[in-house]
Amino acid sequence: IVAVHGLGGDLIPTWTHPKSNAFWLKDFLPQQIPDARIMTFGYNASATFGESMSDVIDHAKSLLSSLVDKREESEALLQARLEPQYQFICDATLGIIFFGTPHRGSEKALYGTVLENIAQTMTHQPNSRLLKALQTNSDVLLRLTSDFRHQLSQYHIVSFYEQQPMRIFSDLIVEKHSALLEVEHEEQIPVDANHSMMCKFETNGNETYEKVYKRIRRMSRDPEPTKTFPDERLLEKLAYVGDASFSSYENQRHRPCLENTRVDVLQQIMQWAKSTSPQCIFWLKGMAGTGKSTVAITVASQMRQITKNFASYFFKRGVGDLAHARKLIPTIVRQLSHSSSSYRRLVLATVKEEPDLGQSANLREQYEKLVVEPLAKLQSSMSTQRLFVIVIDALDECDEEKDLRLLLRLLAKTKNMSNLGIRVFVTSRPEWPIRLGFQEMPSILYQDLILHDVPRSVVDADIKIFLSYELEDPEDRYLSALIAKAQGLFIFAATACRYIGGSPQADPQQRLEQICSSIPTNHLMTEDLDQMYTTVLQNYFKGRYTEEERQRINLRFRHIVGSIVVLLNTLSIPELFKLLCDAQLQAQYQLESTLESLHAVLDVPKSIDCSVQVLHLSFRDFLLDQNRCLDRQFWVDEQQTHHKLALGCIRLLSSSLKQNICRLPSPGTLKSEIAQSDVDTALSPAVQYACRYWVDHAQKGKVELLDHGCVHEFIQRHFLHWLEAMSLIDKISEAVIAITNLTAMANLQKSPIMHDLIHDCRRFLLAFRHAITDAPEQLYASALIFSPLQSTVRKVFKDIIPQWIKYRPLHREKWSSSLQTLEGHSSQVDIVVFSPDGQLLASGSQDCTVRLWNMQTGECCSLLKGYSSDVNIVVFSPDCQLVASASCDCTVRLWDAQNGECRSLFEGHSDWVNSVVFSPDGQLVASGSQDCTVRLWDAQTGKCRSLLEGHSGYVQIVVFSPDGQLVASGSWDGTVRLWDAQTGKCRSLFEGHFKWVYSVVFLPDGQLVALGSYDGTERLWDAQTGKCRSLLTGYHNHVFWPDGQLVASASIDGTVQLWDMQTSECRSFFTGHSQRSRRISDVVFLPDVVFSPDGQLVALPSSDRTVRLWNTQTGKCHSLLEGHSDSVGTIVFSPDGQLVASGSHDGTVRLWNAQTGKCCFLLGGNFDKPVNSVVFSPDGQLVASGSRDCRVRLWNVQTGRCRSLLKGHSDSVHAVVFSPDGQLVASGSYDCTVRLWNAQTGKCHSLLEGHFDSVCTVVFSPDGQLVASGSGDGMVGLWDAQTGKCRFLLQGHLNPVNPVVFSPDGQLVASGSAGGTVRLWDIQTGELFSIFPFSSKYPQIEFHIELGLISVNGVAFRIPSEKMTKAVVDDSSCPISNLSIHRSGDWILKSSKRVLWLPPEYRLSCDCSYRNNIVLGLKTGYVHFISCEEGLN
């Protein structure tokens, strides 16, 4: 329980009754709530007497810091919302009780007057400075309270309000209207006392005290507020920027307009806001320094008075999220949700359905689904329209131009915007991208006002009021001089006032005269502003200094202030010191003292957590421009400053970074599993800044990359540490750009070692970008392990290659030609295409999406969603601004290539779209479909311009002529039609092919058209006459030489011919390419690899008709078993490991000596059906084989002769197994039966019927009494081996069952299916014991009865002692020394935990594990062995 007292600043008088001296917090409450801890906290009155709200904010933070150590409370809750490190305080706070707290002004007085009354009551003799501060800050305090009201839905709120006036006043100090927050669940209680006595209680029987006590007790017993909205915490999924609000601490330095200033401007804006005009957007534009933000603050304050449905976003260049628009929509939605419960419910429903909307969705999707759709639903349900106001300030300070343009386009394209009740107020400089955005809007949508075009006399009058207020009515001569020098710029007036009254030690009158008498020394438009800045800075050097001291102070000034103005993001004083400390700056107090005299031009907050920043960008421009900053002691050399900052960043990083800086528990820990608080603790803001910007500073500062220089040493020691940090702060794409920029800076001639290292660093990062992004510690595992042997990075960091990998996979010597693999699609990618400028790559996939990739960083820029079927066509417009894509869902969509916004949906085709193409000028889009038509679309409007009909078969390809006047379409009907692009009429019909046309190409001059057909011919047609000019035979692909005189054609037989277009003669004939040797029908499924009984060898069959035996200890190929004439489908070791039996699709079984690799026997040879299964008898004397010829054969291992031919099945035999004693053979067939055979006589012992689909697997119980079978019908059959009777048919699997495994004691049977579960059954009752999940395609099952465990793919689960039907989850599992592959195929798992990421080229077609070894068989034909330490967790 935290009791907060305010202006009085004294604990005892606030809470103690004057007669009984009862201090109820100490004397009453602990006895009644003995388990509570009670603390008090008081704001220092002198702090509240300060000139700005920053003091109050500082004390709120002081309270929060105290509560971190002890526990939690209220007014500071607003600040806790804005400070992530204090979020838990918000979460732990149960409720708030207010005693006469003035949340707003009264009807009779301004807010400041109410506070003044309190001050007079509590302090008796407040000084004039306090009263002025109260008046000055009243609007800020009101905004603070308003923001606070919107965050109270999760707390109990109780507000006591006074009913008796103080003696010295005739009215109440805080009227009821002001004392109530007026939120839905607020409990409002009157107190029969005055303001001073309402929280002082004589006895614990006092009526008010009892109400207080009971409500505290109720809060502690019932943590939930009386009224809360369901799923309230879903709002936290919306990325929120607290500092963006107009009432945030970040915006405290922006004061509202003084009374009687900007009257006409504000009146015009407010008239627009209250009107029903369809112009829903108001754009206030003005040059720098004209006071736009001050107007925005005032407008925001006044807007909040006319509607509670209000939100604001104030951009700020160089200040983290405030410089970007990516969180604009979620922040506005959060603010509107706090003000409107109806809107909040609609937003919550949307976020509940699509949780990623507030984090990863693009701006367009967020705007449509979180703003437009909820508001449309809300307004349609209301009898009268509600007004929603959004204020956006300094739009020009948004760093991302594409986001800025998209935002304006979204506003412009919002249909019936006025029906949504939205009013959007925007301020900005009139910069080109914003002007262009508004020019593209219909004028009916927006109203604008040019601030710097307001008559000069009006602006001067406003400046006069401002100066009179700030300087307390200076003499007219000074006032006139200052107004003249301001030249209509409010920034001049504001800076001058801060300078004049900014230092208690300085004489304000002297400073005033100094500014008024200063003479400009240049003739620029900014001459008076520049002179004023010079005057402010010259004051910095006032004092008696020796020349040496003056030089030292000057160097420190340029080092500190110069760094502040060129920093790429803002930092607080402690973080700034970390970055800047050097020989010139050895203590933080030196930095603080330097900034102390510069409050006129710099925002230097009193809170150490807040950033130092330039008050106005004009000061930065002044310092960096030699033509404006004529006093050389102040001019900042931008290049030199960047150079110093680069070295400072490198120094800081070198002392701060290390491996596994967040102390992650395993190398496979994903970035998504790491708490942001852990990252912020490990990497301070200064370190994060240095990580992100050290290369930018090096580039701008022209730092030379020398061999053995500081950058070289940093890369050699900390390159991996830096990448780890960049991954932790989600900036890997920036790291790619940084390394690319370093590559451009590296000089091969001057610094060959550095040059090679940087280039290798880039290859390393591009190759493993995906792994580093997802799991930072894979830098030291997968990235180093799988990098080439000759990689410089690998050599430099060879000592930290993980030692827990005992045996590593084979390595390539050098980097391959593949730069990077772009991962993200969840299904097959069917098409990729580069943008004409090479900056982007577009990919279309069977996962129904298109992805746009940044070719410099490999980052997915946009995910284009909306299709309901495969995407088969993607193409860029000639100017790279648009992307067109087509799908099997019969639609074409047009996307903005910059931001991923869907610009148009082309609907009209009734079948798949096979081809899409832009006209050369990008104004038209042509699409060809399987509905036999071509459509021409307007790229700007999305409307269909022409429907081109005439083909009788699918349209396969569409192409424009070089001048865009013609469209050619090729069809499955064997023809090509030439259409007029303007009229849509058919100009020519090219006939002659008797198979479908797959290729149509215009010559560069547009006069000839080349057609390629699957009839094996190509024809050249005259585009003007429609006549065939040439016939080329036997070729299926072609390309024209740029001048159109030659054409090259490629054939399926591997040859290329060069043709002369004038004579139609073959000029050259090229050979050397090999013809494709395999057909689709040749592709077969490969079985799993198999270990020998002792684990020393592993056998891997292949589609190349061979079997390879590998030594698991050395990883070398032990033997190559050659002889089969077709692919090998099954392989098995003999019980003693001396022989290997292989069954092939050539219909034979071969026996091989496992030690020598020689073929001992060829079993069979006259069979034309593939062998499906091979198995040794327990004594190793017999081999049984099952074949697709429906038969089972028993072979003598010693002689190689067939002992028995077992006939009876009517379909392919898929599984064969011996009983433990070798007396019986069980076979499972596609005929849905199992047969038991006598191994000695070859007679059928039993026919087991009951399955209604093919039998996939058969197994005997350890005692041979039972046979279990798994079938494609999803059932497990349990059969009596002696009688053949069915004990049970166990149902539950949804997919074919394989494998089936008995426990060693024969009491349990486990079955697995491709559905992702293993089921455990009781063989006595047939009942299901448990269901276990697994993460790979097929399970490997092993019992450990002595431990009471069953392992599935290396993850062990306890076998329950009682019957269960729910899956045993991970918390009941324990590790088994076994490796497996994740279902996605990209991770090696150890005891179900990720340990090693697999690059795409190492992902497998089959795998097998044995203890701590795993073998990967790849589609490329490579086999890789990986072995881990036994003790690895």
Side-chain angles (χ1 to χ4, degrees), residues 213-514:
Y213 151 66
K214 288 178 179 178
R215 277 146 187 82
I216 294 176
R217 185 179 62 182
R218 185 190 306 157
M219 290 179 193
S220 63
R221 292 179 178 177
D222 176 21
E224 296 300 320
T226 54
K227 288 187 180 180
T228 57
F229 296 105
D231 304 315
E232 193 75 29
R233 287 198 175 274
L234 285 174
L235 283 179
E236 295 179 8
K237 291 184 177 292
L238 301 178
Y240 183 69
V241 184
D243 283 343
S245 169
F246 86 105
S247 57
S248 71
Y249 177 79
E250 182 66 30
N251 292 311
Q252 295 302 317
R253 62 185 180 84
H254 290 303
R255 289 179 175 177
C257 298
L258 289 175
E259 190 175 357
N260 297 321
T261 63
R262 296 297 196 191
V263 175
D264 292 339
V265 172
L266 293 173
Q267 185 177 11
Q268 187 175 341
I269 296 169
M270 296 311 294
Q271 285 177 347
W272 159 82
K274 296 176 182 178
S275 73
T276 57
S277 164
Q279 294 179 316
C280 299
I281 304 169
F282 195 109
W283 179 28
L284 181 68
K285 51 187 173 182
M287 303 301 291
T290 52
K292 299 182 296 298
S293 293
T294 301
V295 173
I297 286 286
T298 309
V299 169
S301 180
Q302 294 182 7
M303 291 289 189
R304 177 161 279 175
Q305 294 177 20
I306 66 172
T307 177
K308 67 175 184 177
N309 304 319
F310 172 84
S312 59
Y313 200 99
F314 278 55
F315 283 99
K316 176 70 176 176
R317 179 167 288 132
V319 184
D321 289 327
L322 295 181
H324 305 288
R326 65 176 67 99
K327 294 182 181 179
L328 168 67
I329 298 300
T331 299
I332 286 175
V333 171
R334 281 273 290 269
Q335 292 180 34
L336 292 178
S337 295
H338 288 308
S339 63
S340 170
S341 58
S342 301
Y343 174 74
R344 178 167 62 245
R345 291 188 185 98
L346 293 169
V347 169
L348 287 171
T350 303
V351 176
K352 187 174 183 179
E353 187 175 330
E354 300 183 61
D356 294 335
L357 263 181
Q359 299 285 345
S360 57
N362 59 45
L363 201 62
R364 174 194 57 79
E365 195 172 6
Q366 290 176 340
Y367 178 70
E368 290 290 338
K369 295 185 177 181
L370 295 176
V371 178
V372 176
E373 293 177 9
L375 285 180
K377 293 178 182 177
L378 176 63
Q379 301 291 15
S380 65
S381 66
M382 296 290 168
S383 56
T384 57
Q385 191 181 73
R386 291 189 181 181
L387 177 62
F388 287 80
V389 176
I390 299 170
V391 173
I392 300 174
D393 180 55
L395 185 59
D396 55 288
E397 296 196 29
C398 173
D399 286 343
E400 297 293 337
E401 183 178 319
K402 66 176 184 179
D403 289 343
L404 186 153
R405 292 176 57 194
L406 173 60
L407 177 63
L408 294 175
R409 190 179 296 124
L410 289 173
L411 293 174
K413 294 185 70 174
T414 304
K415 296 179 180 178
N416 302 318
M417 192 172 185
S418 59
N419 293 339
L420 300 178
I422 298 179
R423 282 282 192 267
V424 182
F425 178 77
V426 180
T427 74
S428 78
R429 296 185 188 185
E431 294 183 350
W432 169 243
I434 302 175
R435 295 206 316 272
L436 180 63
F438 277 101
Q439 286 172 9
E440 292 175 350
M441 282 189 196
S443 59
I444 191 67
L445 274 182
Y446 77 95
Q447 178 178 344
D448 63 359
L449 176 63
I450 304 174
L451 200 56
H452 53 267
D453 283 355
V454 173
R456 177 68 178 272
S457 60
V458 175
V459 177
D460 285 351
D462 289 345
I463 291 177
K464 180 178 181 180
I465 294 174
F466 174 80
L467 291 171
S468 298
Y469 177 84
E470 290 292 328
L471 301 179
E472 298 182 348
D473 298 320
E475 295 179 26
D476 287 345
R477 61 191 178 98
Y478 294 126
L479 202 55
S480 300
L482 290 174
I483 292 171
K485 287 179 175 293
Q487 296 186 353
L489 294 179
F490 270 88
I491 185 60
F492 177 95
T495 305
C497 291
R498 279 192 296 270
Y499 172 66
I500 292 168
S503 175
Q505 291 79 30
D507 181 356
Q509 182 65 26
Q510 184 179 354
R511 288 190 170 188
L512 176 61
E513 293 176 357
Q514 183 184 23

Side-chain angles (χ1 to χ4, degrees), residues 1107 1123-1132 1140-1152 1159-1167 1169-1176 1182-1188 1191-1197 1200-1202 1216:
V1107 175
H1124 286 295
S1125 59
D1126 206 338
S1127 58
V1128 179
T1130 182
I1131 191 166
V1132 64
V1140 175
S1142 58
S1144 170
H1145 283 223
D1146 64 9
T1148 68
V1149 176
R1150 288 179 179 262
L1151 290 182
W1152 313 82
C1159 181
C1160 305
F1161 294 107
L1162 171 62
L1163 311 182
N1166 298 319
F1167 316 125
K1169 300 292 185 181
V1171 175
N1172 293 329
S1173 180
V1174 178
V1175 64
F1176 278 93
L1182 295 177
V1183 171
S1185 61
S1187 171
R1188 205 176 292 179
R1191 300 173 182 179
V1192 177
R1193 291 173 174 82
L1194 300 183
W1195 308 87
N1196 187 301
V1197 170
R1201 294 180 178 177
C1202 181
V1216 181

Side-chain angles (χ1 to χ4, degrees), residues 682-727:
L683 301 169
S684 69
V687 173
Q688 292 190 34
Y689 178 94
C691 283
R692 294 184 61 186
Y693 299 118
W694 72 271
V695 175
D696 293 291
H697 287 306
Q699 198 172 23
K700 295 175 187 293
K702 301 189 183 307
V703 176
E704 283 194 274
L705 306 188
L706 302 175
D707 290 346
H708 311 298
C710 62
V711 177
H712 188 187
E713 290 185 5
F714 173 73
I715 294 292
Q716 282 191 314
R717 295 179 182 178
H718 299 290
F719 175 62
L720 298 187
H721 303 154
W722 172 62
L723 290 185
E724 178 188 352
M726 292 294 278
S727 173

Side-chain angles (χ1 to χ4, degrees), residues 696-956:
D696 293 291
H697 287 306
Q699 198 172 23
K700 295 175 187 293
K702 301 189 183 307
V703 176
E704 283 194 274
L705 306 188
L706 302 175
D707 290 346
H708 311 298
C710 62
V711 177
H712 188 187
E713 290 185 5
F714 173 73
I715 294 292
Q716 282 191 314
R717 295 179 182 178
H718 299 290
F719 175 62
L720 298 187
H721 303 154
W722 172 62
L723 290 185
E724 178 188 352
M726 292 294 278
S727 173
L728 290 169
I729 61 176
D730 292 320
K731 300 297 179 185
I732 281 296
S733 291
E734 291 185 12
V736 175
I737 295 174
I739 287 296
T740 302
N741 291 339
L742 280 180
T743 304
M745 294 168 62
N747 188 304
L748 177 62
Q749 305 302 323
K750 294 178 65 175
S751 310
I753 301 175
M754 184 64 180
H755 176 275
D756 291 347
L757 174 60
I758 291 296
H759 277 73
D760 197 77
C761 287
R762 181 172 179 269
R763 292 302 307 268
F764 181 89
L765 177 53
L766 290 176
F768 301 104
R769 180 191 189 284
H770 189 78
I772 299 168
T773 301
D774 286 353
E777 292 309 301
Q778 286 301 301
L779 268 167
Y780 312 102
S782 177
L784 286 178
I785 289 170
F786 290 105
S787 55
L789 294 175
Q790 296 304 315
S791 163
T792 308
V793 173
R794 181 190 177 92
K795 291 178 179 178
V796 168
F797 295 99
K798 65 181 184 301
D799 293 338
I800 61 173
I801 295 177
Q803 297 305 306
W804 46 265
I805 299 280
K806 290 197 301 183
Y807 194 80
R808 299 169 187 143
L810 298 172
H811 296 85
R812 66 175 81 89
E813 285 292 319
K814 298 180 179 180
W815 293 107
S816 69
S817 56
S818 172
L819 281 176
Q820 57 182 321
T821 301
L822 309 179
E823 298 191 76
H825 285 295
S826 58
S827 189
Q828 179 174 309
V829 177
D830 289 335
I831 185 167
V832 291
V833 60
F834 281 102
S835 61
D837 61 7
Q839 298 299 307
L840 295 176
L841 177 78
S843 57
S845 168
Q846 291 182 13
D847 64 7
C848 310
T849 68
V850 175
R851 286 178 180 263
L852 300 183
W853 309 85
N854 183 308
M855 288 314 300
Q856 184 177 12
T857 66
E859 179 184 19
C860 180
C861 312
S862 300
L863 174 60
L864 315 182
K865 298 186 293 184
Y867 290 111
S868 59
S869 189
D870 303 356
V871 177
N872 52 0
I873 298 293
V874 182
V875 61
F876 281 91
S877 63
D879 62 1
C880 306
Q881 296 302 306
L882 297 175
V883 175
S885 57
S887 165
C888 299
D889 66 5
C890 314
T891 65
V892 177
R893 290 174 187 260
L894 213 59
W895 313 85
D896 189 305
Q898 301 304 312
N899 51 53
E901 173 198 2
C902 183
R903 295 276 290 272
S904 300
L905 171 62
F906 301 159
E907 294 180 294
H909 287 296
S910 58
D911 208 336
W912 290 10
V913 178
N914 293 330
S915 180
V916 176
V917 64
F918 280 93
S919 60
D921 62 4
Q923 298 302 306
L924 292 178
V925 177
S927 59
S929 167
Q930 292 186 184
D931 64 7
C932 310
T933 69
V934 176
R935 288 178 180 261
L936 298 182
W937 312 84
D938 189 302
Q940 298 301 316
T941 65
K943 294 181 179 179
C944 181
R945 285 265 296 269
S946 303
L947 173 61
L948 315 182
E949 297 178 293
H951 286 294
S952 59
Y954 298 166
V955 177
Q956 185 64 27

